[in-house]
Amino acid sequence: MELAPGPYRNGAETLLHGEFGIYPSKGTRYALSLTCTELHIQCLVPKPETDQRTVVALADVVGCHTLRSRVTTDCAAYFTVYAYPLKKRKVAMGSGRARQRTARTFQVDGADDYNKNQAVAEKWAVAIKCLVLGVPVSSETDISLSLLPRPRRLLLLLNPFGGRGNALQWCQSHILPMISEADISFNLIQTERVNHARELVKGISLPEWDGIVTLSGDGLLYEVINGLMERPDWEQAITMPVGILPCGSGNALAGAINFNAGLEQAMGLELLQNCTVLLCHAAVAPLDLVSVTMASGTRCFSFLSVAWGFVSDVDIESEKYRRVGSARFTLGTMIRLASLHTYRGRLSYLPAPDGPAHRPISRSITVAANGRLPLTRLPLHRAVSDMGLCEERQAFRHCGSEPPDDPSPSPGSPPPISASALHPQSFIFEPAPEEPIGAPEGGGMDTGMGGPPDDLLVPLGQPVPPSWVTVEDDFVLVLAIYQTHLGADLLTAPFACLSDGLIHLCFVKAGVSRAALVRIFLAMEKGTHFEQACPHLSHVPVRAFRLEPLTRKGILTVDGERVEYGPLQAQVHCGLARLITGVARLGGSSC
Ligand SMILES: Nc1ncnc2c1ncn2[C@@H]1O[C@H](COP(=O)(O)OP(=O)(O)OP(=O)(O)O)[C@@H](O)[C@H]1O
């Protein structure tokens, strides 16, 4: 193998260059070149008639493993690159897209000595893994194992009843194989009831985890965020990277993550695969949270939206059509359109000054009277984890023990995940003993909720400050949204960013025709609804708002979860949480 420091193609620096065989070997030889973004594979033997080159985008790669043959006389070493490129495929109703697993195994055989070949294979594997994880590598870098961070440990929380109830099946068939290839250690827990995830995260020992990932819709992540914020050490807890693998029906945050990564709008399995690939890439970005306070004094933290009127009506009323998946919203929309309601209310808001708001959050650890963090370390029994798998692979990789006859996992076949690893009853978790568990009806929580002070708000009983704007009117809908997506296929606020410090207050006033409303929602799929200049639709970027329903009955939701009906107010806290987005941006990091 030789290092080729010069530019390769399009000015991209070549980090590594080498000539290898392939497994299974048929005498074919390839030249491999690795740049920061791509792996170029050029066939050398047999010589192709044209300059045929396969380019693997590292954005589609999730991991790379080194392998050794069981045949002791084989002194070659091997490395396998796992990638999931998007492929067009024929589906029942036309054509769709899906990611297709490719596992290419290269044979390093330049030396007569296994150890020398192994060193080369490891160098390639480390370089590829560094690039996938966003660890900076250049042609000057001395590539060695020490560059790699230790494998991540993720707590996976799966709601078996989210969406159409596919989460467990998709987890086994798509998620676990991919994250195992990415060397992610996991502990998978199936939630058993409402607020179970919330209780779990209140009791975990933070240093044991590099992230908490929900496998469901947005509701489960809402529980996780609020569970973290309920902890006495919330300031520390909320810096825990959180992620979402969409198995729900709305999947709004997953839609936003997909959009943030520059990927084409996706639904269902394609969205899940996109988000799992991004999860493997580890990059974390700040995420705005909005503190919502209700008349009862209940306070909760929201990452998505507050909705009243048409949107919350459809969301809650369509719950009964859950079995049809995301189509429940289309069905609910048609039904709601047929009996369009208007709601009288008072909407007050503090307009945002021009430009994004990046107010630093002061963090100070809440310490108990004895000077220690007021949390007990609790046992999380690891009956549902991949520990066995990881240890096996580790031993195989570094000691060369138990090498397989066939070092290459056959393309398309995921690594073996034991079905018993997914047994629904196989974990025990003790909730934090010092705090009462459970929340008031409506998804909120008691006033003991931690979190930063809402310095822009005055108590709900008092008039809003004079700098606020108030609109009293009949509304068809009021939607405060802070992410781009209201559902995986609803690009409601295309201008929103994960941490712009803005609440995008959107409202539609009474008088809008049904046809105009349909046009707005149809255009929302592409995010072009504001271009229609509908006079009834308004958008104001704000820092805080107060909503006072003057109609006696109605539905209010926070992140799609129903909350108590009545006045509420909210303020944004810029970048309070951390979201696994998989794409490195300025100010981001890795989990
Ligand atoms: N085992 C369980 N049984 C019943 N409900 C559960 C269970 N686990 C979690 N939940 C609750 O299910 C609710 C809905 O879950 P979630 O929002 O994640 O899925 P969804 O509603 O299908 O998706 P979306 O919010 O994207 O529409 C959550 O509020 C959560 O509290």
Side-chain angles (χ1 to χ4, degrees), residues 159-163 191-195 216-220 223 248-251 319 322 328-329 561:
N159 173 5
F161 302 108
T191 55
E192 293 177 334
R193 57 186 178 280
V194 173
N195 278 332
S216 189
D218 298 303
L220 206 62
E223 283 193 14
S249 35
N251 302 320
E319 281 277 349
R322 178 170 285 277
R328 80 170 158 106
F329 299 114
E561 303 298 309

PDB file of all heavy atoms in Angstrom, residues 159-163 191-195 216-220 223 248-251 319 322 328-329 561, ligand 1:
ATOM      1  N   ASN A 159     -41.185   1.841  21.424  1.00  0.00           N
ATOM      2  CA  ASN A 159     -42.614   1.723  21.725  1.00  0.00           C
ATOM      3  C   ASN A 159     -43.224   0.722  20.739  1.00  0.00           C
ATOM      4  O   ASN A 159     -43.378   1.027  19.557  1.00  0.00           O
ATOM      5  CB  ASN A 159     -43.274   3.099  21.579  1.00  0.00           C
ATOM      6  CG  ASN A 159     -44.789   3.032  21.708  1.00  0.00           C
ATOM      7  OD1 ASN A 159     -45.355   1.976  21.989  1.00  0.00           O
ATOM      8  ND2 ASN A 159     -45.449   4.165  21.500  1.00  0.00           N
ATOM      9  N   PRO A 160     -43.572  -0.484  21.201  1.00  0.00           N
ATOM     10  CA  PRO A 160     -44.061  -1.500  20.255  1.00  0.00           C
ATOM     11  C   PRO A 160     -45.397  -1.123  19.626  1.00  0.00           C
ATOM     12  O   PRO A 160     -45.793  -1.728  18.640  1.00  0.00           O
ATOM     13  CB  PRO A 160     -44.196  -2.753  21.133  1.00  0.00           C
ATOM     14  CG  PRO A 160     -44.234  -2.270  22.540  1.00  0.00           C
ATOM     15  CD  PRO A 160     -43.528  -0.958  22.589  1.00  0.00           C
ATOM     16  N   PHE A 161     -46.066  -0.104  20.182  1.00  0.00           N
ATOM     17  CA  PHE A 161     -47.371   0.284  19.649  1.00  0.00           C
ATOM     18  C   PHE A 161     -47.333   1.587  18.850  1.00  0.00           C
ATOM     19  O   PHE A 161     -48.367   2.086  18.438  1.00  0.00           O
ATOM     20  CB  PHE A 161     -48.392   0.394  20.791  1.00  0.00           C
ATOM     21  CG  PHE A 161     -48.524  -0.895  21.558  1.00  0.00           C
ATOM     22  CD1 PHE A 161     -48.017  -1.006  22.847  1.00  0.00           C
ATOM     23  CD2 PHE A 161     -49.096  -2.007  20.974  1.00  0.00           C
ATOM     24  CE1 PHE A 161     -48.103  -2.206  23.546  1.00  0.00           C
ATOM     25  CE2 PHE A 161     -49.180  -3.212  21.660  1.00  0.00           C
ATOM     26  CZ  PHE A 161     -48.690  -3.312  22.948  1.00  0.00           C
ATOM     27  N   GLY A 162     -46.131   2.154  18.657  1.00  0.00           N
ATOM     28  CA  GLY A 162     -46.022   3.390  17.873  1.00  0.00           C
ATOM     29  C   GLY A 162     -46.428   3.132  16.432  1.00  0.00           C
ATOM     30  O   GLY A 162     -46.230   2.035  15.905  1.00  0.00           O
ATOM     31  N   GLY A 163     -46.995   4.145  15.796  1.00  0.00           N
ATOM     32  CA  GLY A 163     -47.378   4.038  14.386  1.00  0.00           C
ATOM     33  C   GLY A 163     -48.252   2.826  14.121  1.00  0.00           C
ATOM     34  O   GLY A 163     -49.249   2.602  14.793  1.00  0.00           O
ATOM     35  N   THR A 191     -40.913  -0.053  25.777  1.00  0.00           N
ATOM     36  CA  THR A 191     -41.753   0.626  26.765  1.00  0.00           C
ATOM     37  C   THR A 191     -43.038  -0.170  26.940  1.00  0.00           C
ATOM     38  O   THR A 191     -43.541  -0.787  25.997  1.00  0.00           O
ATOM     39  CB  THR A 191     -42.070   2.062  26.342  1.00  0.00           C
ATOM     40  OG1 THR A 191     -42.648   2.033  25.045  1.00  0.00           O
ATOM     41  CG2 THR A 191     -40.817   2.921  26.330  1.00  0.00           C
ATOM     42  N   GLU A 192     -43.545  -0.164  28.160  1.00  0.00           N
ATOM     43  CA  GLU A 192     -44.716  -0.987  28.476  1.00  0.00           C
ATOM     44  C   GLU A 192     -45.978  -0.166  28.672  1.00  0.00           C
ATOM     45  O   GLU A 192     -47.072  -0.715  28.745  1.00  0.00           O
ATOM     46  CB  GLU A 192     -44.441  -1.772  29.760  1.00  0.00           C
ATOM     47  CG  GLU A 192     -43.356  -2.805  29.563  1.00  0.00           C
ATOM     48  CD  GLU A 192     -43.033  -3.541  30.840  1.00  0.00           C
ATOM     49  OE1 GLU A 192     -43.246  -2.973  31.925  1.00  0.00           O
ATOM     50  OE2 GLU A 192     -42.586  -4.687  30.752  1.00  0.00           O
ATOM     51  N   ARG A 193     -45.826   1.136  28.827  1.00  0.00           N
ATOM     52  CA  ARG A 193     -46.997   1.968  29.110  1.00  0.00           C
ATOM     53  C   ARG A 193     -46.635   3.428  28.875  1.00  0.00           C
ATOM     54  O   ARG A 193     -45.450   3.774  28.708  1.00  0.00           O
ATOM     55  CB  ARG A 193     -47.437   1.781  30.562  1.00  0.00           C
ATOM     56  CG  ARG A 193     -46.325   2.085  31.524  1.00  0.00           C
ATOM     57  CD  ARG A 193     -46.620   1.798  32.971  1.00  0.00           C
ATOM     58  NE  ARG A 193     -45.444   2.106  33.771  1.00  0.00           N
ATOM     59  CZ  ARG A 193     -44.391   1.321  33.914  1.00  0.00           C
ATOM     60  NH1 ARG A 193     -44.361   0.144  33.317  1.00  0.00           N
ATOM     61  NH2 ARG A 193     -43.350   1.693  34.630  1.00  0.00           N
ATOM     62  N   VAL A 194     -47.644   4.270  28.894  1.00  0.00           N
ATOM     63  CA  VAL A 194     -47.439   5.716  28.808  1.00  0.00           C
ATOM     64  C   VAL A 194     -46.560   6.132  29.991  1.00  0.00           C
ATOM     65  O   VAL A 194     -46.709   5.623  31.099  1.00  0.00           O
ATOM     66  CB  VAL A 194     -48.815   6.441  28.863  1.00  0.00           C
ATOM     67  CG1 VAL A 194     -48.624   7.948  28.960  1.00  0.00           C
ATOM     68  CG2 VAL A 194     -49.660   6.067  27.658  1.00  0.00           C
ATOM     69  N   ASN A 195     -45.643   7.020  29.733  1.00  0.00           N
ATOM     70  CA  ASN A 195     -44.715   7.576  30.735  1.00  0.00           C
ATOM     71  C   ASN A 195     -43.633   6.607  31.213  1.00  0.00           C
ATOM     72  O   ASN A 195     -42.856   6.962  32.100  1.00  0.00           O
ATOM     73  CB  ASN A 195     -45.460   8.144  31.956  1.00  0.00           C
ATOM     74  CG  ASN A 195     -45.964   9.537  31.668  1.00  0.00           C
ATOM     75  OD1 ASN A 195     -45.375  10.254  30.863  1.00  0.00           O
ATOM     76  ND2 ASN A 195     -47.062   9.918  32.271  1.00  0.00           N
ATOM     77  N   SER A 216     -39.866   5.149  17.751  1.00  0.00           N
ATOM     78  CA  SER A 216     -41.312   5.343  17.799  1.00  0.00           C
ATOM     79  C   SER A 216     -41.625   6.632  17.067  1.00  0.00           C
ATOM     80  O   SER A 216     -40.854   7.031  16.189  1.00  0.00           O
ATOM     81  CB  SER A 216     -41.770   5.412  19.270  1.00  0.00           C
ATOM     82  OG  SER A 216     -43.169   5.395  19.314  1.00  0.00           O
ATOM     83  N   GLY A 217     -42.738   7.276  17.446  1.00  0.00           N
ATOM     84  CA  GLY A 217     -43.049   8.585  16.874  1.00  0.00           C
ATOM     85  C   GLY A 217     -42.471   9.669  17.767  1.00  0.00           C
ATOM     86  O   GLY A 217     -41.562   9.410  18.573  1.00  0.00           O
ATOM     87  N   ASP A 218     -43.009  10.876  17.625  1.00  0.00           N
ATOM     88  CA  ASP A 218     -42.464  11.993  18.394  1.00  0.00           C
ATOM     89  C   ASP A 218     -42.845  11.929  19.872  1.00  0.00           C
ATOM     90  O   ASP A 218     -42.169  12.501  20.713  1.00  0.00           O
ATOM     91  CB  ASP A 218     -42.957  13.309  17.775  1.00  0.00           C
ATOM     92  CG  ASP A 218     -42.467  13.455  16.343  1.00  0.00           C
ATOM     93  OD1 ASP A 218     -41.249  13.403  16.141  1.00  0.00           O
ATOM     94  OD2 ASP A 218     -43.308  13.588  15.431  1.00  0.00           O
ATOM     95  N   GLY A 219     -43.938  11.214  20.182  1.00  0.00           N
ATOM     96  CA  GLY A 219     -44.439  11.176  21.553  1.00  0.00           C
ATOM     97  C   GLY A 219     -43.452  10.570  22.538  1.00  0.00           C
ATOM     98  O   GLY A 219     -43.340  11.016  23.676  1.00  0.00           O
ATOM     99  N   LEU A 220     -42.725   9.570  22.108  1.00  0.00           N
ATOM    100  CA  LEU A 220     -41.786   8.906  23.014  1.00  0.00           C
ATOM    101  C   LEU A 220     -40.592   9.824  23.313  1.00  0.00           C
ATOM    102  O   LEU A 220     -40.108   9.872  24.437  1.00  0.00           O
ATOM    103  CB  LEU A 220     -41.318   7.579  22.419  1.00  0.00           C
ATOM    104  CG  LEU A 220     -40.864   6.541  23.429  1.00  0.00           C
ATOM    105  CD1 LEU A 220     -41.973   6.136  24.378  1.00  0.00           C
ATOM    106  CD2 LEU A 220     -40.310   5.310  22.746  1.00  0.00           C
ATOM    107  N   GLU A 223     -41.477  12.297  25.902  1.00  0.00           N
ATOM    108  CA  GLU A 223     -41.342  11.734  27.253  1.00  0.00           C
ATOM    109  C   GLU A 223     -39.886  11.765  27.714  1.00  0.00           C
ATOM    110  O   GLU A 223     -39.599  12.077  28.867  1.00  0.00           O
ATOM    111  CB  GLU A 223     -41.824  10.276  27.277  1.00  0.00           C
ATOM    112  CG  GLU A 223     -43.308  10.129  27.282  1.00  0.00           C
ATOM    113  CD  GLU A 223     -43.724   8.698  27.634  1.00  0.00           C
ATOM    114  OE1 GLU A 223     -42.877   7.920  28.118  1.00  0.00           O
ATOM    115  OE2 GLU A 223     -44.899   8.372  27.416  1.00  0.00           O
ATOM    116  N   GLY A 248     -43.176   5.926  14.086  1.00  0.00           N
ATOM    117  CA  GLY A 248     -44.498   6.413  14.475  1.00  0.00           C
ATOM    118  C   GLY A 248     -45.334   6.719  13.254  1.00  0.00           C
ATOM    119  O   GLY A 248     -45.024   6.287  12.144  1.00  0.00           O
ATOM    120  N   SER A 249     -46.386   7.503  13.447  1.00  0.00           N
ATOM    121  CA  SER A 249     -47.197   7.853  12.287  1.00  0.00           C
ATOM    122  C   SER A 249     -46.903   9.257  11.780  1.00  0.00           C
ATOM    123  O   SER A 249     -47.002   9.509  10.588  1.00  0.00           O
ATOM    124  CB  SER A 249     -48.683   7.688  12.606  1.00  0.00           C
ATOM    125  OG  SER A 249     -48.965   8.013  13.933  1.00  0.00           O
ATOM    126  N   GLY A 250     -46.521  10.179  12.679  1.00  0.00           N
ATOM    127  CA  GLY A 250     -46.244  11.544  12.233  1.00  0.00           C
ATOM    128  C   GLY A 250     -44.779  11.722  11.884  1.00  0.00           C
ATOM    129  O   GLY A 250     -44.433  12.178  10.802  1.00  0.00           O
ATOM    130  N   ASN A 251     -43.896  11.374  12.789  1.00  0.00           N
ATOM    131  CA  ASN A 251     -42.444  11.416  12.572  1.00  0.00           C
ATOM    132  C   ASN A 251     -41.935  12.782  12.116  1.00  0.00           C
ATOM    133  O   ASN A 251     -41.126  12.885  11.200  1.00  0.00           O
ATOM    134  CB  ASN A 251     -42.031  10.344  11.551  1.00  0.00           C
ATOM    135  CG  ASN A 251     -42.437   8.957  11.988  1.00  0.00           C
ATOM    136  OD1 ASN A 251     -42.330   8.602  13.163  1.00  0.00           O
ATOM    137  ND2 ASN A 251     -42.929   8.152  11.056  1.00  0.00           N
ATOM    138  N   GLU A 319     -56.456   9.627  15.864  1.00  0.00           N
ATOM    139  CA  GLU A 319     -55.825   8.543  16.647  1.00  0.00           C
ATOM    140  C   GLU A 319     -56.507   7.205  16.384  1.00  0.00           C
ATOM    141  O   GLU A 319     -55.876   6.168  16.347  1.00  0.00           O
ATOM    142  CB  GLU A 319     -55.920   8.850  18.152  1.00  0.00           C
ATOM    143  CG  GLU A 319     -54.901   9.848  18.659  1.00  0.00           C
ATOM    144  CD  GLU A 319     -53.563   9.215  18.962  1.00  0.00           C
ATOM    145  OE1 GLU A 319     -53.485   7.988  18.981  1.00  0.00           O
ATOM    146  OE2 GLU A 319     -52.588   9.964  19.135  1.00  0.00           O
ATOM    147  N   ARG A 322     -55.176   4.898  13.619  1.00  0.00           N
ATOM    148  CA  ARG A 322     -53.738   4.646  13.753  1.00  0.00           C
ATOM    149  C   ARG A 322     -53.252   3.488  12.879  1.00  0.00           C
ATOM    150  O   ARG A 322     -52.133   3.504  12.371  1.00  0.00           O
ATOM    151  CB  ARG A 322     -53.477   4.347  15.232  1.00  0.00           C
ATOM    152  CG  ARG A 322     -52.076   4.018  15.613  1.00  0.00           C
ATOM    153  CD  ARG A 322     -51.961   4.009  17.106  1.00  0.00           C
ATOM    154  NE  ARG A 322     -51.948   5.369  17.623  1.00  0.00           N
ATOM    155  CZ  ARG A 322     -50.853   6.116  17.678  1.00  0.00           C
ATOM    156  NH1 ARG A 322     -49.720   5.624  17.264  1.00  0.00           N
ATOM    157  NH2 ARG A 322     -50.889   7.344  18.147  1.00  0.00           N
ATOM    158  N   ARG A 328     -53.489   8.297   8.358  1.00  0.00           N
ATOM    159  CA  ARG A 328     -54.519   8.717   9.309  1.00  0.00           C
ATOM    160  C   ARG A 328     -54.708  10.237   9.282  1.00  0.00           C
ATOM    161  O   ARG A 328     -55.801  10.747   9.479  1.00  0.00           O
ATOM    162  CB  ARG A 328     -54.191   8.217  10.716  1.00  0.00           C
ATOM    163  CG  ARG A 328     -53.167   8.992  11.519  1.00  0.00           C
ATOM    164  CD  ARG A 328     -53.192   8.467  12.955  1.00  0.00           C
ATOM    165  NE  ARG A 328     -52.003   8.712  13.719  1.00  0.00           N
ATOM    166  CZ  ARG A 328     -51.919   9.635  14.683  1.00  0.00           C
ATOM    167  NH1 ARG A 328     -52.938  10.409  14.960  1.00  0.00           N
ATOM    168  NH2 ARG A 328     -50.803   9.775  15.361  1.00  0.00           N
ATOM    169  N   PHE A 329     -53.621  10.975   8.986  1.00  0.00           N
ATOM    170  CA  PHE A 329     -53.722  12.437   8.968  1.00  0.00           C
ATOM    171  C   PHE A 329     -54.519  12.906   7.752  1.00  0.00           C
ATOM    172  O   PHE A 329     -55.271  13.868   7.826  1.00  0.00           O
ATOM    173  CB  PHE A 329     -52.319  13.060   8.987  1.00  0.00           C
ATOM    174  CG  PHE A 329     -51.549  12.682  10.225  1.00  0.00           C
ATOM    175  CD1 PHE A 329     -50.425  11.891  10.154  1.00  0.00           C
ATOM    176  CD2 PHE A 329     -51.988  13.093  11.481  1.00  0.00           C
ATOM    177  CE1 PHE A 329     -49.724  11.530  11.297  1.00  0.00           C
ATOM    178  CE2 PHE A 329     -51.306  12.734  12.633  1.00  0.00           C
ATOM    179  CZ  PHE A 329     -50.175  11.948  12.540  1.00  0.00           C
ATOM    180  N   GLU A 561     -49.029  15.692  21.631  1.00  0.00           N
ATOM    181  CA  GLU A 561     -49.645  15.080  22.817  1.00  0.00           C
ATOM    182  C   GLU A 561     -50.683  16.048  23.377  1.00  0.00           C
ATOM    183  O   GLU A 561     -50.403  17.240  23.526  1.00  0.00           O
ATOM    184  CB  GLU A 561     -48.582  14.791  23.888  1.00  0.00           C
ATOM    185  CG  GLU A 561     -47.442  13.909  23.419  1.00  0.00           C
ATOM    186  CD  GLU A 561     -47.895  12.533  22.990  1.00  0.00           C
ATOM    187  OE1 GLU A 561     -48.602  11.870  23.752  1.00  0.00           O
ATOM    188  OE2 GLU A 561     -47.546  12.121  21.852  1.00  0.00           O
TER     189      GLU A 561
HETATM  190  N1  LIG B   1     -46.142   0.192  25.618  1.00  0.00           N
HETATM  191  C1  LIG B   1     -46.913   1.253  25.441  1.00  0.00           C
HETATM  192  N2  LIG B   1     -48.255   1.118  25.450  1.00  0.00           N
HETATM  193  C2  LIG B   1     -49.048   2.179  25.256  1.00  0.00           C
HETATM  194  N3  LIG B   1     -48.614   3.429  25.026  1.00  0.00           N
HETATM  195  C3  LIG B   1     -47.300   3.620  24.997  1.00  0.00           C
HETATM  196  C4  LIG B   1     -46.380   2.550  25.195  1.00  0.00           C
HETATM  197  N4  LIG B   1     -45.132   3.060  25.088  1.00  0.00           N
HETATM  198  C5  LIG B   1     -45.269   4.373  24.851  1.00  0.00           C
HETATM  199  N5  LIG B   1     -46.550   4.731  24.790  1.00  0.00           N
HETATM  200  C6  LIG B   1     -47.163   6.036  24.507  1.00  0.00           C
HETATM  201  O1  LIG B   1     -47.582   6.055  23.150  1.00  0.00           O
HETATM  202  C7  LIG B   1     -47.702   7.401  22.766  1.00  0.00           C
HETATM  203  C8  LIG B   1     -47.579   7.525  21.266  1.00  0.00           C
HETATM  204  O2  LIG B   1     -46.308   7.183  20.891  1.00  0.00           O
HETATM  205  P1  LIG B   1     -45.538   7.939  19.732  1.00  0.00           P
HETATM  206  O3  LIG B   1     -45.945   9.356  19.662  1.00  0.00           O
HETATM  207  O4  LIG B   1     -44.113   7.700  19.945  1.00  0.00           O
HETATM  208  O5  LIG B   1     -46.043   7.197  18.437  1.00  0.00           O
HETATM  209  P2  LIG B   1     -47.089   7.694  17.370  1.00  0.00           P
HETATM  210  O6  LIG B   1     -48.191   8.429  18.032  1.00  0.00           O
HETATM  211  O7  LIG B   1     -47.439   6.549  16.522  1.00  0.00           O
HETATM  212  O8  LIG B   1     -46.211   8.643  16.480  1.00  0.00           O
HETATM  213  P3  LIG B   1     -46.347  10.178  16.087  1.00  0.00           P
HETATM  214  O9  LIG B   1     -46.257  10.959  17.378  1.00  0.00           O
HETATM  215  O10 LIG B   1     -45.191  10.419  15.187  1.00  0.00           O
HETATM  216  O11 LIG B   1     -47.652  10.306  15.416  1.00  0.00           O
HETATM  217  C9  LIG B   1     -46.650   8.160  23.556  1.00  0.00           C
HETATM  218  O12 LIG B   1     -47.232   9.288  24.109  1.00  0.00           O
HETATM  219  C10 LIG B   1     -46.220   7.181  24.639  1.00  0.00           C
HETATM  220  O13 LIG B   1     -46.432   7.760  25.911  1.00  0.00           O
END
